[in-house]
Coordinates of all heavy atoms in Angstrom, one line a residue:
D528 N 86.7 -16.3 63.6 CA 86.6 -17.7 63.8 C 86.7 -18.5 62.5 O 86.7 -19.7 62.6 CB 85.4 -18.1 64.6 CG 85.4 -17.6 66.0 OD1 86.5 -17.4 66.5 OD2 84.4 -17.3 66.5
W529 N 86.6 -17.8 61.4 CA 86.6 -18.4 60.1 C 85.4 -19.5 60.0 O 85.6 -20.6 59.5 CB 87.9 -19.1 59.7 CG 89.0 -18.1 59.5 CD1 89.6 -17.4 60.5 CD2 89.6 -17.8 58.3 NE1 90.5 -16.6 59.9 CE2 90.6 -16.9 58.6 CE3 89.5 -18.3 57.0 CZ2 91.4 -16.3 57.6 CZ3 90.3 -17.8 56.0 CH2 91.2 -16.8 56.3
C530 N 84.2 -19.1 60.5 CA 83.1 -20.0 60.5 C 82.1 -19.8 59.4 O 81.1 -20.4 59.4 CB 82.4 -19.9 61.9 SG 81.7 -18.3 62.2
I531 N 82.4 -18.8 58.5 CA 81.5 -18.5 57.4 C 82.1 -19.1 56.1 O 83.3 -18.8 55.8 CB 81.3 -17.0 57.3 CG1 80.7 -16.4 58.5 CG2 80.4 -16.7 56.0 CD1 80.5 -14.9 58.5
Y532 N 81.4 -19.9 55.4 CA 81.8 -20.5 54.2 C 80.9 -20.0 53.0 O 79.7 -20.1 53.0 CB 81.6 -22.1 54.3 CG 82.3 -22.6 55.5 CD1 81.4 -23.1 56.5 CD2 83.6 -22.6 55.7 CE1 81.9 -23.6 57.7 CE2 84.2 -23.1 56.9 CZ 83.3 -23.6 57.9 OH 83.9 -24.1 59.0
I533 N 81.6 -19.5 52.0 CA 80.9 -18.9 50.8 C 81.5 -19.5 49.6 O 82.8 -19.5 49.4 CB 81.1 -17.3 50.8 CG1 80.5 -16.7 52.1 CG2 80.4 -16.8 49.6 CD1 80.6 -15.3 52.2
D534 N 80.7 -19.9 48.7 CA 81.1 -20.4 47.4 C 80.3 -19.6 46.3 O 79.1 -19.4 46.5 CB 80.9 -21.9 47.2 CG 81.8 -22.7 48.0 OD1 82.9 -22.3 48.3 OD2 81.4 -23.8 48.4
S535 N 80.9 -19.3 45.3 CA 80.2 -18.5 44.2 C 80.8 -18.8 42.8 O 81.9 -19.4 42.7 CB 80.2 -17.0 44.5 OG 81.6 -16.5 44.3
H536 N 80.2 -18.4 41.8 CA 80.8 -18.4 40.5 C 80.3 -17.1 39.7 O 79.4 -16.4 40.1 CB 80.2 -19.6 39.7 CG 78.7 -19.5 39.4 ND1 77.7 -19.9 40.2 CD2 78.1 -19.2 38.2 CE1 76.6 -19.8 39.7 NE2 76.8 -19.3 38.5
K537 N 81.1 -16.8 38.7 CA 80.8 -15.6 37.9 C 79.8 -15.9 36.8 O 79.9 -17.0 36.2 CB 82.1 -15.0 37.3 CG 82.9 -14.4 38.3 CD 83.8 -13.2 37.7 CE 84.7 -12.6 38.7 NZ 84.1 -11.5 39.4
E538 N 78.9 -15.0 36.5 CA 78.0 -15.2 35.4 C 77.9 -14.0 34.5 O 78.0 -12.9 35.0 CB 76.6 -15.4 36.1 CG 75.5 -15.9 35.2 CD 74.3 -16.2 36.0 OE1 73.5 -15.3 36.2 OE2 74.1 -17.4 36.4
T539 N 77.8 -14.2 33.3 CA 77.9 -13.1 32.3 C 76.4 -12.6 32.1 O 75.6 -13.4 31.8 CB 78.5 -13.5 31.0 OG1 79.8 -14.0 31.2 CG2 78.5 -12.3 30.0

Side-chain angles (χ1 to χ4, degrees):
D528 292 333
W529 292 70
C530 64
I531 300 175
Y532 310 109
I533 301 175
D534 292 329
S535 67
H536 69 277
K537 288 208 181 269
E538 195 174 83
T539 304

